[in-house]
Amino acid sequence: MAPPELDALGAAARALGRADLVVVATGAGMSRESGIPTFREALTGLWARFDPEEMATEQAFRRAPARVFGWYAWRRMVVRAAVPHAGYDAIVALERLLPEVLVVTQNVDGLHARAGSRRVVELHGSLERFRCLDAGHPYPADAVPEPATEGELAPPACPRCGAPIRPGVVWFGEVLPEREVALAWEAAARCAVMLVVGTSGLVQPAAALPRVARDAGAFVVEVNPEPSDVSPFATVVCRGSAGVVLPALVARMGGSA
Ligand code: APR
């Protein structure tokens, strides 16, 4: 009798091999093996060092613009130095093996596109996008300085209206971008398989996607070393890390990352 995770891996590989559309829904755990801490890890998680209300809300930005802007500029610097791990390459390999793959990510680190994924929906925006706080005028990311150390950084002023420049990410309490939500929910309701990788399933509305897929009859595979709020909706659970499980999945399908 194969160990449970091998059965899950085999079942997931077979379901993927038959799939016309696969949605790969990823969270912060997908970037963990590229050295980017997840939000809710007890020790290294970013939230352990910062009070979320002090960082990821418009109110916090208006209250302490240099602290919030400095944190995002620092995270962008860390992410720019990160290298997509083998799990990212495995997703790109899936795109070569299967008719249609759509990546829907909660992450703002841009690693899927950097690894070569061609169809990526960023539900929570990107660390590489900036706009002004009041009118939403776009601001070139290359004009934003890369801080040498962690610390406060005064946001630039919008050249068109003078408002402070903010990160192009979705803050707590803000709505998700309409176009990305429509793409993600349409694909979730149509996909044959949803691979859910590295998310605790705690933050709505992104956390609803696995249930949308499952209710529409999809085969849902969770890839996570820990149980999560996604686990109850998973058809199979591959208890392991993204960097190990995803390449193993592709190998079981006869592909290579
Ligand atoms: N491989 C796969 N999953 C992993 C790995 C790994 N190597 N390491 C950790 N994980 C899992 C954790 O077990 C956890 O379930 O990744 C998940 C990370 O959960 P969170 O830190 O809550 O991140 P996420 O689910 O993406 O948070 C959602 O919340 O803070 C907001 O906007 C932010 O996009 C973020 C959203």
Side-chain angles (χ1 to χ4, degrees):
M1 176 74 173
E5 63 279 3
L6 202 51
D7 283 347
L9 207 63
R14 283 189 296 278
L16 283 166
R18 296 191 298 269
D20 44 8
L21 169 61
V22 172
V23 171
V24 185
T26 65
M30 180 73 211
S31 298
R32 189 74 189 71
E33 288 148 284
S34 288
I36 299 171
T38 67
F39 289 98
R40 289 170 183 82
E41 273 174 333
L43 295 179
T44 58
L46 293 173
W47 298 122
R49 297 171 58 200
F50 299 101
D51 170 358
E53 288 312 309
E54 284 309 301
M55 286 298 184
T57 61
E58 182 181 328
Q59 296 73 8
F61 180 71
R62 288 184 183 278
R63 194 168 48 243
R67 181 188 309 156
V68 174
F69 195 80
W71 183 52
Y72 278 94
W74 172 253
R75 285 173 63 199
R76 180 177 70 140
M77 231 260 307
V78 167
V79 160
R80 279 185 164 185
V83 176
H85 57 73
Y88 282 94
D89 301 329
I91 293 171
V92 176
L94 277 183
E95 294 166 0
R96 288 195 297 268
L97 287 170
L98 299 172
E100 191 182 2
V101 175
L102 179 71
V103 175
V104 175
T105 188
Q106 299 173 73
N107 300 337
V108 294
D109 56 32
L111 288 189
H112 282 295
R114 211 184 307 163
S117 283
R118 290 192 312 280
R119 296 181 65 213
V120 181
V121 172
E122 294 176 316
L123 288 176
H124 292 169
S126 165
L127 288 172
E128 287 296 343
R129 278 199 293 280
F130 295 86
R131 64 177 188 270
C132 82
L133 184 63
D134 295 343
H137 296 135
Y139 187 82
D142 291 344
V144 174
E146 283 201 1
T149 59
E150 281 188 81
E152 300 203 343
L153 180 69
C158 175
R160 291 175 58 181
C161 70
I165 296 303
R166 59 160 286 177
V169 300
V170 178
W171 277 330
F172 286 112
E174 293 185 325
V175 292
L176 273 60
E178 206 173 307
R179 177 182 164 278
E180 283 73 11
V181 166
L183 284 169
W185 262 250
E186 186 278 332
R190 182 165 58 91
C191 67
V193 176
M194 179 177 279
L195 265 183
V196 186
V197 186
T199 180
S200 58
L202 291 174
V203 175
Q204 295 296 353
L209 281 173
R211 179 157 198 161
V212 168
R214 188 68 196 269
D215 289 352
F219 187 101
V220 176
V221 181
E222 179 183 34
V223 178
N224 193 326
E226 305 292 333
S228 74
D229 280 22
V230 173
S231 306
F233 304 115
T235 315
V236 298
V237 173
C238 297
R239 273 285 168 258
S241 70
V244 171
V245 171
L246 294 174
L249 259 182
V250 169
R252 287 294 293 271
M253 294 170 65
S256 60

